[in-house]
Amino acid sequence: MVSSVFAKEKQDGMPGPLHRPVCRQLRAHHAVMAAVHMRDLFAADPARFERFSLQVGELLLDYSKNRITDETMSLLVRLAEEADVAGWRERMFGGDKINNTENRAVLHVALRNRSNHPVRVDGEDVMPKVNAVIERMGAFAERVRSGEWRGYTGERITDIVNIGIGGSDLGPQMVVQALKPYRHPRLKVHFISNIDGAHVKETLESLNPETTLFIVSSKTFTTQETMTNAHYARAWFLAQSQAEKHIARHFVAVSTNREAVAAFGIDPANMFEFWDWVGGRYSLWSAIGLSIVLAVGAERFVELLEGAHAMDEHFRHAPLDRNMPVILALLGVWYNNFFGAESHAILPYDHYLRSLPAYLEQADMESNGKSVDRDGNVVDYPTGAIVWGATGINGQHAFYQLLHQGTKIIPADFIVSVEPHTNLQAHHDILIANFLAQTEALMRGRTREETQAQTGQFVSHKVFDGNHPSNAILLQKLTPHALGMLIALYEHKIFVEGVIWNLNSYDQWGVELGKQLASRILPELHADAPVGGHDASTNALINYYRRMSHPRTGL
Ligand code: F6P
């Protein structure tokens, strides 16, 4: 168990990351702030919005509805300074191998480096190969989009199926959905990730092999779920096309593993490469974004990269106290480590951003869900929050009850587009009014006196304490550029939190054990004799499954 207030003094004299000099002051300050209501802070300072809001390009961040004062922010910024956020930031942008357990650089920023300044890994400027792959993706996508690239019977491609999981699925899936208003009218993009056969089967049911193009997306090209689904899709395709030579027109690969791609039967000429310095959950900017390029075109994809680059430039050069990702990260640390908040809600008020929570779950929790610091020491402070969420307006009629009147403190990000993609202005106004009402209600609450004045009965049930923190992030419009900025904003927030917690945010050893055990269990599911090599529960469940299941195979 780790302490919920990141603050205990270390006994051995070595200052840990959260035992830095400023932490004592932050602890004392937290003791004061715990009793302060935001309602009073707003009443005392009519300029609070101006003080605690920041515009970067087409993104506005209002962080005034947080339990902070100027003193809070200056102490938190000192924490960032003491943690050497600026130094780590330079190490990342400079291509240092900050992913120490895998001995890799962390350079998703190079993938969208639209200024094209050299970025070196082991002395080699990676920009020429980054640019070459972007070119190839664009040229390939153009052939498919224009109809020049035909299937084996001469038909145009109508359906793209991305087969991948985790970062090879969630990022492109979220972006393709977010940019639906920009999509190519002929091309439908599907995503298959789940190893539950229902996913691949249901998806392929409605498709015609003659007009379907598969993208097998896997950094390693060894992931069991992806490879099983890819082999199934290949068999499904061959069942109709009857000739392996046709595979070249219907299967392309995105990977770092050329040999495995060739072994699968995909012509390496149809492989789009990326590199080990791109983490899976940070890879949508790489060739993993091929489905995005096919859906919205190379020009829009470049706008997405440009948006991310604009946020990279802001993150790299803005002072820490006017730096959007840094501010979001410091607020995250403030609630996580001082207020004991365990989770963080992502609440998009934009239908097209409905997959953002799932995307950020992986981005954040696979990065900072760690209990060992970068040097291998067990931490004695909470690290990554539980990230969760759903479209806000639906959440209002589901889980917001707990946000307003539950016993937990759950900081929330409200993400909103000022201009909608539809012309249904009345709908949009209702959406916006609800977003505003929710953040106001969370902050203000409703006092006993106000409640009494409005309603006589069940007053205690109807009181809202308020003082629940939220950020509002307003996009002018959900364009590729704004989306690129938004995603990069969160990527850098995650990075800064990881630096403050002294984590390696770029490995993911926590996913390995389950993978290992699954490969051991797989052959046991249909073993002739009862299985006995596990704990009693796992043995019993395997044996129950052996008895009760009726294996079926086939397309
Ligand atoms: O198992 C976790 C993970 O390694 C993620 O980090 C990654 O995004 C996903 O699996 C998919 O991996 P790959 O792209 O190698 O198939």
Side-chain angles (χ1 to χ4, degrees):
M1 270 299 279
V2 292
S3 155
S4 66
V5 174
F6 110 93
K8 286 183 311 172
E9 291 301 322
K10 252 195 158 181
Q11 301 305 314
D12 60 11
M14 279 294 289
L18 299 183
H19 306 282
R20 298 190 172 90
V22 73
C23 292
R24 187 179 303 201
Q25 280 167 273
L26 273 164
R27 247 184 351 263
H29 179 64
H30 166 256
V32 175
M33 288 303 291
V36 173
H37 201 293
M38 283 190 275
R39 204 189 293 131
D40 300 324
L41 295 173
F42 272 96
D45 179 10
R48 188 171 167 83
F49 171 80
E50 286 72 27
R51 195 185 301 285
F52 298 123
S53 62
L54 181 64
Q55 176 106 37
V56 178
E58 62 264 50
L59 258 60
L60 170 73
L61 168 66
D62 171 18
Y63 60 104
S64 61
K65 292 193 182 86
N66 277 290
R67 296 171 69 169
I68 55 169
T69 60
D70 282 337
E71 186 184 355
T72 322
M73 291 316 292
S74 68
L75 289 172
L76 288 170
V77 167
R78 263 182 56 203
L79 176 61
E81 286 162 358
E82 289 183 11
D84 192 22
V85 166
W88 281 101
R89 186 178 55 188
E90 275 321 290
R91 266 165 240 157
M92 175 172 74
F93 279 94
D96 282 12
K97 298 196 172 167
I98 61 169
N99 175 355
N100 61 328
T101 62
E102 295 180 314
N103 194 29
R104 290 175 182 165
V106 173
L107 276 178
H108 43 280
V109 292
L111 301 167
R112 64 244 186 165
N113 168 20
R114 302 308 296 170
S115 340
N116 212 23
H117 55 260
V119 177
R120 295 188 201 285
V121 177
D122 292 328
E124 182 203 350
D125 179 12
V126 298
M127 289 316 299
K129 55 188 189 185
V130 166
N131 293 330
V133 172
I134 295 173
E135 283 284 307
R136 277 191 67 217
M137 288 161 71
F140 171 73
E142 191 40 44
R143 290 181 68 195
V144 176
R145 288 164 60 85
S146 68
E148 181 203 328
W149 180 287
R150 305 270 168 149
Y152 72 98
T153 56
E155 295 290 317
R156 290 166 182 222
I157 299 297
T158 57
D159 293 88
I160 312 288
V161 180
N162 184 84
I163 302 178
I165 197 164
S168 301
D169 167 70
L170 290 163
Q173 194 261 342
M174 181 271 289
V175 172
V176 167
Q177 188 176 75
L179 300 183
K180 194 171 177 196
Y182 301 90
R183 79 179 193 285
H184 190 284
R186 190 185 70 248
L187 295 173
K188 280 207 204 72
V189 186
H190 314 260
F191 290 86
I192 298 175
S193 56
N194 200 332
I195 192 59
D196 184 331
H199 198 179
V200 66
K201 194 140 192 172
E202 260 200 14
T203 309
L204 299 188
E205 239 158 37
S206 61
L207 302 183
N208 176 358
E210 295 172 28
T211 56
T212 300
L213 175 72
F214 292 95
I215 308 172
V216 185
S217 293
S218 175
K219 180 175 171 180
T220 55
F221 229 72
T222 57
T223 303
Q224 189 181 39
E225 296 89 335
T226 299
M227 296 325 297
T228 307
N229 279 327
H231 280 285
Y232 180 89
R234 191 175 181 275
W236 173 86
F237 172 76
L238 285 174
Q240 178 154 329
S241 65
Q242 298 290 329
E244 300 236 348
K245 67 172 186 214
H246 296 319
I247 284 183
R249 303 212 65 74
H250 291 267
F251 282 80
V252 300
V254 176
S255 187
T256 58
N257 186 346
R258 189 167 285 273
E259 292 74 40
V261 168
F264 179 86
I266 294 179
D267 184 347
N270 292 340
M271 169 178 159
F272 297 85
E273 192 188 5
F274 65 116
W275 308 277
D276 71 358
W277 41 262
V278 182
R281 54 193 173 276
Y282 297 90
S283 64
L284 71 88
W285 322 100
S286 73
I288 289 289
L290 185 61
S291 53
I292 305 171
V293 189
L294 284 157
V296 302
E299 219 173 296
R300 300 296 191 191
F301 185 69
V302 167
E303 287 167 17
L304 181 83
L305 300 180
E306 282 167 350
H309 182 57
M311 185 53 73
D312 294 344
E313 289 290 285
H314 165 75
F315 173 55
R316 197 169 182 185
H317 300 295
L320 297 182
D321 62 347
R322 300 298 294 161
N323 194 309
M324 210 181 261
V326 172
I327 289 168
L328 285 186
L330 292 175
L331 292 168
V333 170
W334 179 229
Y335 295 118
N336 192 53
N337 298 101
F338 292 90
F339 282 83
E342 298 217 311
S343 84
H344 187 100
I346 303 290
L347 307 170
Y349 278 69
D350 187 316
H351 180 66
Y352 291 119
L353 284 177
R354 64 194 180 279
S355 290
L356 185 69
Y359 168 77
L360 289 178
E361 281 169 14
Q362 186 202 17
D364 198 316
M365 295 203 278
E366 202 168 69
S367 297
N368 286 340
K370 294 176 184 160
S371 53
V372 167
D373 71 13
R374 59 168 37 255
D375 307 311
N377 305 308
V378 175
V379 302
D380 61 355
Y381 44 86
T383 59
I386 302 159
V387 174
W388 63 283
T391 44
I393 201 83
N394 300 71
Q396 286 176 212
H397 298 274
F399 55 80
Y400 274 37
Q401 165 65 39
L402 187 147
L403 298 187
H404 285 289
Q405 289 188 316
T407 54
K408 315 255 183 306
I409 174 167
I410 304 181
D413 291 353
F414 287 72
I415 302 156
V416 184
S417 305
V418 175
E419 290 174 48
H421 272 290
T422 69
N423 56 5
L424 304 180
Q425 192 61 42
H427 281 71
H428 193 62
D429 289 346
I430 295 172
L431 183 72
I432 299 299
N434 273 278
F435 138 66
L436 292 167
Q438 291 299 325
T439 53
E440 185 176 26
L442 284 167
M443 185 278 287
R444 274 200 98 259
R446 187 170 62 194
T447 64
R448 181 163 288 276
E449 296 67 40
E450 288 166 343
T451 308
Q452 224 139 18
Q454 280 185 27
T455 167
Q457 274 192 317
F458 300 115
V459 171
S460 317
H461 294 263
K462 295 175 184 172
V463 166
F464 289 69
D465 291 336
N467 220 10
H468 297 293
S470 68
N471 294 309
I473 301 173
L474 273 65
L475 283 58
Q476 184 55 34
K477 187 171 184 176
L478 186 54
T479 59
H481 193 273
L483 181 63
M485 291 188 77
L486 180 71
I487 302 168
L489 168 65
Y490 277 103
E491 286 180 345
H492 295 319
K493 174 202 169 179
I494 293 164
F495 167 79
V496 172
E497 287 187 337
V499 169
I500 292 175
W501 293 323
N502 194 30
L503 302 177
N504 174 0
S505 302
Y506 301 101
D507 59 12
Q508 56 284 317
W509 300 108
V511 301
E512 294 303 324
L513 178 60
K515 285 187 193 173
Q516 265 175 32
L517 293 182
S519 35
R520 175 179 159 200
I521 290 170
L522 183 60
E524 295 177 340
L525 295 179
H526 301 293
D528 297 334
V531 166
H534 304 265
D535 59 87
S537 160
T538 310
N539 284 337
L541 291 170
I542 294 173
N543 290 324
Y544 181 85
Y545 182 81
R546 282 178 55 251
R547 286 196 310 280
M548 304 300 285
S549 74
H550 307 285
R552 288 166 292 252
T553 50
L555 281 178

